[in-house]
Amino acid sequence: MSDPELRFSVLGPVRAWRGGVEVDAGSPQQRLVLAVLLAAGGRVVSQDQLLDAVWGEARPRSAVGTLRTYVSRLRAALGAEVIASTGSGYALTAGTCDLAELDELARQGRHREALALWQGEPLAGLDGGYAHAQRARLAERRLTLLERRLGEDVEAGRHAEVVTELTTLCAEHPVRERLACLLMLALYRSGRQAEAIGVFTDLRKLLAEELGVDPSPEPAELYQRIITADPGLCAEPGERARAATPVPRQLPADMTDFTGRQPDIDQVTRALTEANGSALVISAVAGAGGMGKTTLAVHVAHRLAARYPDGQLFVDLQGAGPRPPAARDVLGGFLRALGVDLAEVSEDLEERAALYRSVLAERRVLVLLDNAASAVQVRPLLPGAAGCAVLVTSRARLAGLSGARHLGLAAMRPDEALALLAKVVGEERVAAEREAGQELMRACGYLPLAIRIVASRLAARPGWSLARMRDRMADERRRLSELRVDDLAVEATFALGYDQLDEAHAAAFRLLAVPNAADLPLPAAAAVLGVAEEEAEELCEALVNVHLMESPAPGRYRHHDLLKLYARALLDGQEESRRAALDRLLGHYLAAMAWIVDVMYPGDPALGFVTTTGARPSFADLDAAIAWGRAEEEDMLGCLRQIAGTPGAALRDAVSLLDMMSLVFDFESSTTGYEQVAERLVAAATERGDRIAEAHARRKRGEILYARRAAGAAAEEARAVRECADARPADHASAVNLLAMLAHDRRAHDEATALYAEAIEIWRTLGHRSEEAICRGNLAMVLAEAGRGEEGVEVAELAVGVTRELGGGRPNPQILYQLAVALGAAGRPEEALARFGEGRAEFRRLGQYTWESLTLRRMAETYLAMGRPDRAVDHAEEALAMLQGADQGWMSAKALAVLGRALTALGRRGRARACLTRALAIMDEQGLPDADDVRALLSRLDPPVYCSASEPQV
């Protein structure tokens, strides 16, 4: 099994990882199937063997099918090629397993490393005879390895150090003679002859009482040699000399309240223990200031200290400071700790490094190099021996450190952060204010240093509530000032990294914090910085390398929340720089959206309002452009909110961007964000006295309000724009169109027809054929509803022809929808369904799911009119499913009404009544005229039959 990216473990819970990321191995029985395949080491395991391992004698009738399901799920999780089917069995064909590593390490005599593979009870959490048998076998294997490792320790002169461990093991396994022999020898060599004799006496008595036998020759012979003080039992002179060599223990104290970080601990531990024995192992941990690199490294080093009996070296290389120590001086300190007299040692760096490597050549030492500045600083401090290991921490990723296994340390998980807070301030205190604690951790950005500072302040003030600390942190402008205690301060830690930047990178760090976006794709970052993409990428990647920014995905960049606050604080007093950065970002968004609108709706008047644009991303086609837009939609809305709150920013262009976004995206399914942005833009335009921007923003707000059928508020906005002398003609025409739609909804057909005619005339005068066609499509809907179906078809077909001409053969799907409605009213249902289908496909392609749900509802109505209520039910149900979670109650109400009518036609009156009742409640609440129609339908149904609470409801 050779895929190094895929790794398995059974010496603990059965787990799997791909590329360092844990894969869900499924239920206990599914993990047991995986464990059996792993134990086979790539050999074929028959189906019967697997069935016996999982169920034993209690095999259910469905066992074979269930087994195949488990294998199928494992293939889905691990990769289809990982488990091969061979005859009636299966074999694992890829990946590495700790069982194989155990065999190889044991074969090489690297018993200490083999023992370190155990992560608890093997096959933990798995039941059954097979699992118990494997656990017993592996327990015996571990004990044998322990005996060998302890024997090596005793022979290496570390007899005094292993006495405690041997004493414990002998108590756990009182009749295991090999352990008794090792304890006797270790005690004897430690000058404790009487205790060594006592161990044999206890063993002899226990064997006689429990088993009725005498000790075997090995302990009996050792006993004789001990009571006669055989000189041959003493350690060799070389070993005694080695035992006298200084053993440095320089690691700083481990944190008693260390919490979480288990995946990171596992990764570093693997990097330091999964060595091939032929080269030095190096683990390099990089991360932003305050991320807890040193704490993690020290914690792991303490866990692994027993693997390195010849000592642990530590130095703070002060890589983020102004004067890091010279490598020559660091080597001097290390050599002194290793027992070398520096009086005879050269000052030359190369000679000291060579001597350092020579001293460590036959030793097992762990070297922790904390806070390194670069690979150049680290290289002279690396041992040459494969028996040693090096753990390095740094702010920048040390890409030039050959052979290192790298870990980028991120912020803590929310649950880890809260657990750390609880350890410092007390479990009961956090449990009493769990929600406030979670909000406080969020304000800390889950940064370990920030969490420790907040926790220390709370621990020192037992009278403070967590809510009080949370409220003090709520104001972003003072948050960093709250994050300091004694000599710890988040801001000072950030400053150490920022002060290392040159001006170009420092400016990029500041400006990229201006947008409120969760993260920025490279083209947007280039726009903010006002540079070409190639230069922006270099700047961003350099900031990522020193962990002042993050790259959550290739080509996307962001600040940690607290680093963003720090960067913004550096921009205080530079309002022009902030405004210019926002305007450049707005221009970038406008250029991209204008391209999309021009393809989707050629000639749309929104394109004529834009005064400023920037470089746009290159799109392969419209689908790629829309996918980009969906990904950036929330960030674009965020940019508009910032523009509204930034004096002097390009407000008119901001309204134009909102206009184009509402044309392209499925905003109708969630109008709240769009409505809030429109309100801010209206308020900003009013405050600045920009009547043109105000009219445009109010018109757009009216259309958004109409989308959720807030008819009164929408009409108010439309009338205000219609009466505004400063409104642009296009806004005036759009306001008239909105008033016409509102009249249509009230079933005021004559008024709607007159208003549409007015809007059509304005658009014709302006030369906007695309908007004229849309108004004609709206007019076709009115005509269809007024019983003038054929006339409506004629008007709609003319509109479709215009949009096909403007779109190079591609029609506007909304006008196709309007044509289909007219065709249905004209008694041409088959043609209507064809047009609905064509429009639906385009809506789906464009991601306009609200329009797709509208189309489905209209198709249901058409099928109902054709006498096919079964098909009507299918389409109405699908429409309702698409509206789940959308804030479009009126659409759901109309779909429910159609569903109720179709169910009635199928004789399913109980459910029909339930659907119609729900529809009526929504329609009454929103004041929809359709409510009277539904009320009439309900009155014609049979009275409801009430049942007891225990009976199922329809």
Side-chain angles (χ1 to χ4, degrees), residues 110-130:
R110 294 157 63 186
H111 305 119
R112 192 179 302 272
E113 294 172 58
L115 287 165
L117 294 173
W118 261 263
Q119 300 295 318
E121 182 183 58
L123 280 68
L126 304 186
D127 294 325
Y130 176 89

Side-chain angles (χ1 to χ4, degrees), residues 559-755:
H559 290 81
H560 179 273
D561 291 347
L562 293 180
L563 274 167
K564 177 173 277 192
L565 294 181
Y566 175 71
R568 287 179 170 179
L570 295 171
L571 279 170
D572 283 348
Q574 301 181 41
E575 297 309 316
E576 179 57 29
S577 294
R578 287 175 182 266
R579 185 200 60 73
L582 280 175
D583 281 350
R584 289 193 295 269
L585 181 60
L586 175 63
H588 163 72
Y589 288 146
L590 280 167
M593 291 304 301
W595 187 91
I596 297 173
V597 170
D598 192 38
V599 174
M600 288 178 64
Y601 308 113
D604 192 280
L607 297 167
F609 295 158
V610 179
T611 60
T612 303
T613 60
R616 67 166 177 83
S618 56
F619 301 127
D621 52 29
L622 180 59
D623 291 343
I626 291 174
W628 169 89
R630 288 183 196 140
E632 305 306 315
E633 184 178 8
E634 284 302 319
D635 288 345
M636 285 191 272
L637 290 173
C639 176
L640 294 178
R641 293 186 193 97
Q642 285 188 275
I643 293 286
T646 303
L651 191 60
R652 294 186 185 182
D653 284 344
V655 183
S656 293
L657 178 59
L658 182 66
D659 202 352
M660 287 190 279
M661 289 174 67
S662 68
L663 289 172
V664 172
F665 302 131
D666 186 36
F667 83 94
E668 292 96 340
S669 64
S670 181
T671 60
T672 305
Y674 279 78
E675 188 174 337
Q676 290 173 347
V677 168
E679 287 173 354
R680 291 193 186 194
L681 292 171
V682 169
T686 303
E687 182 181 342
R688 298 176 202 179
D690 188 337
R691 298 278 289 165
I692 292 176
E694 181 185 351
H696 191 181
R698 291 193 73 174
R699 186 262 292 178
K700 182 46 58 181
R701 180 171 180 266
E703 292 171 353
I704 294 168
L705 288 165
Y706 175 75
R708 64 177 179 84
R709 292 309 186 264
E716 182 180 343
E717 297 291 0
R719 284 193 291 269
V721 176
R722 189 184 190 191
E723 295 165 6
C724 177
D726 295 315
R728 289 178 292 205
D731 288 321
H732 182 86
S734 294
V736 174
N737 182 68
L738 176 55
L739 289 170
M741 290 191 291
L742 288 162
H744 181 186
D745 284 355
R746 296 195 311 274
R747 299 180 179 175
H749 299 145
D750 291 343
E751 180 185 350
T753 301
L755 287 166

Side-chain angles (χ1 to χ4, degrees), residues 462-510:
W464 277 23
S465 67
L466 271 61
R468 178 176 181 178
M469 192 71 224
R470 173 204 62 196
D471 294 343
R472 292 175 68 93
M473 295 271 287
D475 186 349
E476 291 187 350
R477 293 169 298 180
R478 56 177 286 184
R479 187 173 299 170
L480 290 176
S481 64
E482 291 288 339
L483 292 173
R484 62 182 69 207
V485 62
D486 297 332
D487 61 339
L488 296 178
V490 168
E491 191 169 9
T493 299
F494 290 165
L496 286 173
Y498 176 76
D499 290 344
Q500 304 290 315
L501 301 176
D502 60 29
E503 179 49 38
H505 291 88
F509 173 73
R510 297 190 302 268

Side-chain angles (χ1 to χ4, degrees), residues 257-584:
D257 53 12
F258 187 94
T259 302
R261 297 288 199 191
Q262 195 57 50
D264 301 315
I265 293 171
D266 291 345
Q267 184 171 336
V268 175
T269 301
R270 285 197 302 273
L272 294 174
T273 57
E274 293 181 353
N276 58 19
S278 63
L280 176 71
V281 293
I282 306 171
S283 176
V285 180
M291 203 58 76
K293 303 179 295 296
T294 301
T295 303
L296 174 72
V298 169
H299 182 71
V300 172
H302 276 285
R303 288 185 57 172
L304 297 179
R307 286 175 167 268
Y308 302 95
D310 297 321
Q312 301 88 43
L313 298 171
F314 173 86
V315 64
D316 180 0
L317 294 174
Q318 303 173 38
R323 290 181 297 277
R328 181 191 61 195
D329 297 333
V330 174
L331 285 169
F334 281 173
L335 289 167
R336 198 162 34 243
L338 292 166
V340 176
D341 184 359
L342 291 186
E344 304 295 326
V345 176
S346 168
E347 291 288 324
D348 181 72
L349 173 61
E350 294 300 327
E351 290 189 28
R352 285 195 171 192
L355 177 59
Y356 169 67
R357 292 192 293 272
S358 297
V359 171
L360 293 180
E362 298 299 325
R363 302 190 191 185
R364 292 182 59 79
V365 173
L366 175 62
V367 182
L368 176 47
L369 306 175
D370 188 37
N371 198 12
S374 65
V376 172
Q377 186 188 28
V378 167
R379 286 193 194 104
L381 309 179
L382 299 178
C388 295
V390 179
L391 181 51
V392 189
T393 73
S394 60
R395 295 197 179 207
R397 180 183 172 91
L398 303 182
L401 201 56
S402 179
R405 301 276 291 274
H406 294 276
L407 167 67
L409 197 59
M412 300 184 84
R413 298 196 315 265
D415 60 320
E416 292 178 328
L418 198 64
L420 176 56
L421 178 68
K423 273 201 174 182
V424 179
V425 307
E427 298 280 355
E428 292 182 0
R429 202 167 166 189
V430 171
E433 295 185 87
R434 187 172 183 81
E435 185 176 348
Q438 291 169 334
E439 293 169 354
L440 182 57
M441 293 301 92
R442 195 176 304 118
C444 289
Y446 308 110
L447 186 77
L449 176 61
I451 296 166
R452 286 204 170 273
I453 290 172
V454 164
S456 298
R457 293 186 64 186
L458 284 168
R461 297 167 176 80
W464 277 23
S465 67
L466 271 61
R468 178 176 181 178
M469 192 71 224
R470 173 204 62 196
D471 294 343
R472 292 175 68 93
M473 295 271 287
D475 186 349
E476 291 187 350
R477 293 169 298 180
R478 56 177 286 184
R479 187 173 299 170
L480 290 176
S481 64
E482 291 288 339
L483 292 173
R484 62 182 69 207
V485 62
D486 297 332
D487 61 339
L488 296 178
V490 168
E491 191 169 9
T493 299
F494 290 165
L496 286 173
Y498 176 76
D499 290 344
Q500 304 290 315
L501 301 176
D502 60 29
E503 179 49 38
H505 291 88
F509 173 73
R510 297 190 302 268
L511 287 176
L512 290 170
V514 171
N516 282 335
D519 56 41
L520 290 171
L522 179 59
V528 170
L529 299 177
V531 299
E533 285 190 26
E534 293 78 7
E535 184 179 350
E537 184 174 30
E538 186 281 322
L539 292 167
C540 291
E541 288 295 332
L543 291 170
V544 169
N545 192 49
V546 296
H547 287 88
L548 285 174
M549 289 195 77
E550 301 169 351
S551 181
R556 300 192 75 90
Y557 303 95
R558 70 185 179 198
H559 290 81
H560 179 273
D561 291 347
L562 293 180
L563 274 167
K564 177 173 277 192
L565 294 181
Y566 175 71
R568 287 179 170 179
L570 295 171
L571 279 170
D572 283 348
Q574 301 181 41
E575 297 309 316
E576 179 57 29
S577 294
R578 287 175 182 266
R579 185 200 60 73
L582 280 175
D583 281 350
R584 289 193 295 269

